[in-house]
Amino acid sequence: MMNGFGHGHNMEEEEVEEEEDYAERRRLESSAHHIYNWKNVHQDLHGWASELDVGELITIPNFSLYDAMSAIELCDVKMDIGLLLKDRKIKSFEEGMERGSLKMDNFLAVEYLAVMERSLANLILWIEGHCLAQTVFTMLYLHKPQQVPDELIRTYCWSLLALCEYVRQIMLDGYVVEEEDFQVTSLALPPSSNADAPTAAALLKSVKSCEETSSKQARKHRSSFKEKSLADDDLQSQQWNALAMRFRFLRTLLQFFGSFALRSESFFAEAPQLIDLLEATIEKILAGYKLSEEQFRAAPGFESLVNLHLLPPSFPRHTPATVDGKSFDFFRSLSHQLRIVVSARDRLKTIEGFLFYLRTDGVLLDSALTRSMMQIVIGASLVLKRCSGDAPGKWELISTSDFIADSLRAFSNPPVLMSGFAQYEHHGQMKEYIETFLRSCIASTSVVLRQVAYDNKVPCDNTEY
């Protein structure tokens, strides 16, 4: 009885203490409300938040991104990948094959076009700085191209992977962008070097075969349309012809970047013809069959959230697919920039002339890819110091000392550098001094030429001297 009585007495004391604590909290709340004049704004906040899409933020001068990130709780779709992973329709290439939810054969011409259009749009997003896992590799066929039975899709996948590797290597060699401006790779994604990948020559041959197959189908439906006058045959003919043009575009692009990557001796001789073919093909594509937004979004083999688990908890959670239909407008602009890069080597006569070229035609190089290529052309041609584009190649080298000497002659024409100056040849010490001076200028020349090719989105004070 005593134990039971004592226990009941303790419970009464605890209830009294709780009532006193509650009264004290109410008193403090009422006094705080009186002092600070609190107002309930939950309804306003919920209303404003409902107008924001996933990944959007409101910013004011005293509320930075750091404050926003600190304020967001877990279990929010902006931060917790678990809340978005449940929306994935296909988790992996293997699961898609097992469940039959990933189309592997019997593709229609419009489906081939949709796959190519959407993957090229993703490639452009990657070149412009988006994450590789959220763009290019949202196409499931790229994860295991050797297991894709359809020849056209399989060849296209290998071609796209080869193109990505060329772009990645150019970006690394040129070294004109910061790490946050271009995502070179992503963890746990398929490696760029695959033992099953075809060689460059075999790949070009396969792409050519796909182009011929598409052209054959276009001619077949065109002949059928002439005989039967069926609207479906005319539409099929347009779609297969559009597909053939895209394979020709892809083959030309692979030839150009492959030759550039290998520093082929014939690159500067062949590049203008390849660019002409590239531009002509792009114009035919732009004038030909165009996909609707519905057809674009219905492209088989894509899952925007498939690589979400590889990403850190940061904005944005995923990159939306571009459906503005301007992919080949980008490549048309790129072809014009490639022509500027190719002609740059002929302008490497004097520093002043080359800088004038960069300030006129060179300002059109608004892509990190073409700026990287320009840097490689300069570095590999002049063999400047500290240029990562100095990889051994077969391009004919220009003497950097002669380049500087010609620049001095064009600027002020000093007597000691004039042709026929007798003392230069017969006065050994003078000749040594001049050659030493020219060699000492190589480092400064390297800095100037590297700086003008650096990311033009970042102002550099030392590009004006």
Side-chain angles (χ1 to χ4, degrees), residues 59-226:
T59 178
I60 58 175
N62 295 327
F63 191 76
S64 64
L65 177 63
Y66 175 80
D67 299 318
M69 297 290 285
S70 303
I72 296 173
E73 298 179 356
L74 291 178
C75 298
D76 189 300
V77 294
K78 302 183 188 71
M79 295 298 291
D80 194 339
I81 62 174
L83 293 178
L84 283 180
L85 286 177
K86 60 180 173 48
D87 297 331
R88 288 193 304 188
K89 298 177 181 178
I90 305 176
K91 295 181 180 179
S92 65
F93 177 87
E94 292 80 2
E95 181 189 298
M97 286 188 64
E98 293 174 0
R99 291 169 46 190
S101 54
L102 182 62
K103 188 166 186 176
M104 302 299 288
D105 50 19
N106 298 323
F107 288 88
L108 301 175
V110 68
E111 291 176 326
Y112 285 124
L113 289 172
V115 169
M116 297 183 77
E117 288 279 349
R118 185 162 176 177
S119 57
L120 287 175
N122 287 336
L123 175 67
I124 293 171
L125 288 174
W126 175 54
I127 292 175
E128 292 178 343
H130 289 274
C131 178
L132 186 65
Q134 293 175 296
T135 54
V136 177
F137 279 97
T138 57
M139 179 178 171
L140 296 170
Y141 301 123
L142 291 175
H143 293 209
K144 293 289 180 64
Q146 65 274 17
Q147 296 184 21
V148 178
D150 187 272
E151 181 183 359
L152 270 63
I153 293 292
R154 183 174 65 251
T155 300
Y156 177 70
C157 289
W158 286 126
S159 302
L160 190 60
L161 288 174
L163 196 58
C164 288
E165 179 59 22
Y166 289 146
V167 171
R168 186 189 71 85
Q169 195 58 52
I170 289 171
M171 293 290 200
L172 289 175
D173 288 347
Y175 196 63
V176 299
V177 293
E178 299 293 346
E179 184 180 358
E180 63 270 17
D181 296 327
F182 178 74
Q183 304 295 322
V184 176
T185 186
S186 295
L187 296 176
L189 287 177
S192 57
S193 58
N194 193 314
D196 298 320
T199 62
L203 184 58
L204 288 174
K205 186 177 179 180
S206 298
V207 177
K208 177 66 174 177
S209 175
C210 292
E211 178 187 343
E212 293 173 350
T213 301
S214 302
S215 298
K216 187 181 299 183
Q217 289 289 334
R219 290 193 298 269
K220 174 184 173 182
H221 286 284
R222 192 179 303 118
S223 300
S224 178
F225 174 71
K226 291 179 180 179

Side-chain angles (χ1 to χ4, degrees), residues 401-422:
S401 297
D402 292 344
F403 174 72
I404 298 173
D406 291 340
S407 302
L408 292 173
R409 291 189 188 97
F411 181 70
S412 60
N413 198 18
V416 294
L417 294 180
M418 292 176 62
S419 59
F421 188 68

Side-chain angles (χ1 to χ4, degrees), residues 275-289:
I275 294 175
D276 289 340
L277 178 58
L278 192 66
E279 291 179 342
T281 306
I282 290 173
E283 293 303 324
K284 290 181 180 179
I285 291 174
L286 291 173
Y289 180 83

Side-chain angles (χ1 to χ4, degrees), residues 229-433:
S229 299
L230 296 178
D232 183 64
D233 283 327
D234 183 40
L235 181 62
Q236 288 287 324
S237 175
Q238 294 179 32
Q239 292 174 350
W240 281 107
N241 186 64
L243 186 61
M245 289 298 102
R246 280 159 176 79
F247 274 115
R248 181 182 300 177
F249 161 81
L250 186 62
R251 178 167 56 88
T252 309
L253 210 59
L254 286 171
Q255 282 182 290
F256 182 91
F257 284 111
S259 181
F260 183 89
L262 295 175
R263 313 288 195 269
S264 172
E265 293 180 1
S266 58
F267 171 75
F268 288 101
E270 296 175 349
Q273 288 80 11
L274 289 174
I275 294 175
D276 289 340
L277 178 58
L278 192 66
E279 291 179 342
T281 306
I282 290 173
E283 293 303 324
K284 290 181 180 179
I285 291 174
L286 291 173
Y289 180 83
K290 292 181 176 59
L291 291 173
S292 66
E293 180 177 338
E294 182 181 356
Q295 291 171 331
F296 180 93
R297 292 191 179 278
F302 287 87
E303 175 52 69
S304 59
L305 305 178
V306 66
N307 296 316
L308 198 62
H309 61 286
L310 304 178
L311 305 176
S314 59
F315 297 107
R317 289 311 320 152
H318 68 90
T319 304
T322 304
V323 293
D324 55 8
K326 296 182 179 180
S327 297
F328 284 95
D329 289 333
F330 171 87
F331 286 114
R332 179 165 55 183
S333 174
L334 179 65
S335 66
H336 297 332
Q337 296 180 46
L338 293 178
R339 194 179 294 278
I340 295 173
V341 171
V342 171
S343 61
R345 183 177 170 85
D346 295 332
R347 304 300 182 98
L348 281 171
K349 306 298 183 183
T350 65
I351 296 177
E352 186 176 7
F354 186 66
L355 292 181
F356 176 78
Y357 175 69
L358 291 179
R359 288 195 297 267
T360 52
D361 293 349
V363 295
L364 300 176
L365 302 180
D366 59 356
S367 168
L369 176 60
T370 50
R371 290 198 306 274
S372 299
M373 295 178 71
M374 177 69 82
Q375 188 60 251
I376 293 173
V377 169
I378 296 171
S381 298
L382 292 176
V383 198
L384 299 175
K385 292 183 177 180
R386 297 185 62 195
C387 180
S388 56
D390 294 344
K394 302 174 183 178
W395 290 350
E396 182 182 354
L397 300 178
I398 302 171
S399 171
T400 311
S401 297
D402 292 344
F403 174 72
I404 298 173
D406 291 340
S407 302
L408 292 173
R409 291 189 188 97
F411 181 70
S412 60
N413 198 18
V416 294
L417 294 180
M418 292 176 62
S419 59
F421 188 68
Q423 295 184 15
Y424 179 79
E425 295 295 336
H426 297 92
H427 199 293
Q429 193 173 15
M430 178 187 294
K431 185 176 181 179
E432 181 183 352
Y433 286 162

